[in-house]
């Protein structure tokens, strides 16, 4: 699966922003997918995940209630709607396709569970 993230930019704290991830390849709609982010000087961390059907979602505590992950399998596209952005949300955001359709907290949070990464899109939140 090939992934391409877009939609990053510079926004003020409190503003919304939507990221997109276009996917291509066979049977894209059967993959669970997610978003990770990496802030300067920090390790890449899990943000959100969505199961292949789009019915089940899972969020990191730091973004729960502010971010919404969704997908449109007809368009092979995944989204991350971000609201109430904070300066600490500043990071490069990566979309990801998971290796297998396991749905556990530990699996979704692990970078080792990812089969394919997008190239990343920078989100900068100014205070």
């Amino acid at each position: 699966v090939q992934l391409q993230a877009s939609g990053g930019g510079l926004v003020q704290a409190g503003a919304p922003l939507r990221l997109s991830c276009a996917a291509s390849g066979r049977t894209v709609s059967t993959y669970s997918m997610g978003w990770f982010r990496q802030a300067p000087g920090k390790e890449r961390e899990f943000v959100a995940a969505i199961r292949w059907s789009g019915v089940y979602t899972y969020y990191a505590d730091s973004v729960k209630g502010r971010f919404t992950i969704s997908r449109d399998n007809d368009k092979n596209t995944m989204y991350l709607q971000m609201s109430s952005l904070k300066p600490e949300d500043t990071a490069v955001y990566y979309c990801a396709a998971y290796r297998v359709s396991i749905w556990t907290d530990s699996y979704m949070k692990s970078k080792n569970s990812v089969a394919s990464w997008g190239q990343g899109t920078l989100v900068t939140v100014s205070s």
Side-chain angles (χ1 to χ4, degrees), residues 93-105:
Y93 283 71
Y94 297 90
C95 55
Y98 289 93
R99 298 184 187 279
V100 294
S101 189
I102 295 174
W103 194 254
T104 64
D105 294 1

Side-chain angles (χ1 to χ4, degrees), residues 21-25 28-29 33 72-78:
C21 177
S24 61
V28 169
S29 62
M33 299 180 69
D72 184 337
N73 286 339
D74 290 337
K75 297 181 179 179
N76 287 340
T77 303
M78 176 179 66

Side-chain angles (χ1 to χ4, degrees), residues 37-97:
R37 67 186 181 186
Q38 187 164 17
K42 295 187 177 181
E43 290 199 4
R44 193 171 298 189
E45 65 175 6
F46 169 79
V47 175
I50 187 166
R51 203 156 187 189
W52 64 269
S53 63
V55 174
Y56 298 104
T57 58
Y58 178 64
Y59 298 92
D61 288 343
S62 59
V63 306
K64 198 175 297 182
R66 299 188 298 121
F67 291 10
T68 301
I69 188 171
S70 61
R71 66 191 294 169
D72 184 337
N73 286 339
D74 290 337
K75 297 181 179 179
N76 287 340
T77 303
M78 176 179 66
Y79 305 97
L80 185 68
Q81 179 68 50
M82 305 183 291
S83 61
S84 302
L85 281 163
K86 305 175 182 179
E88 50 263 44
D89 294 318
T90 295
V92 176
Y93 283 71
Y94 297 90
C95 55

Side-chain angles (χ1 to χ4, degrees), residues 3-18:
L3 305 174
Q4 181 157 1
S6 61
L10 172 63
V11 296
Q12 289 190 330
L17 192 66
R18 189 177 82 159

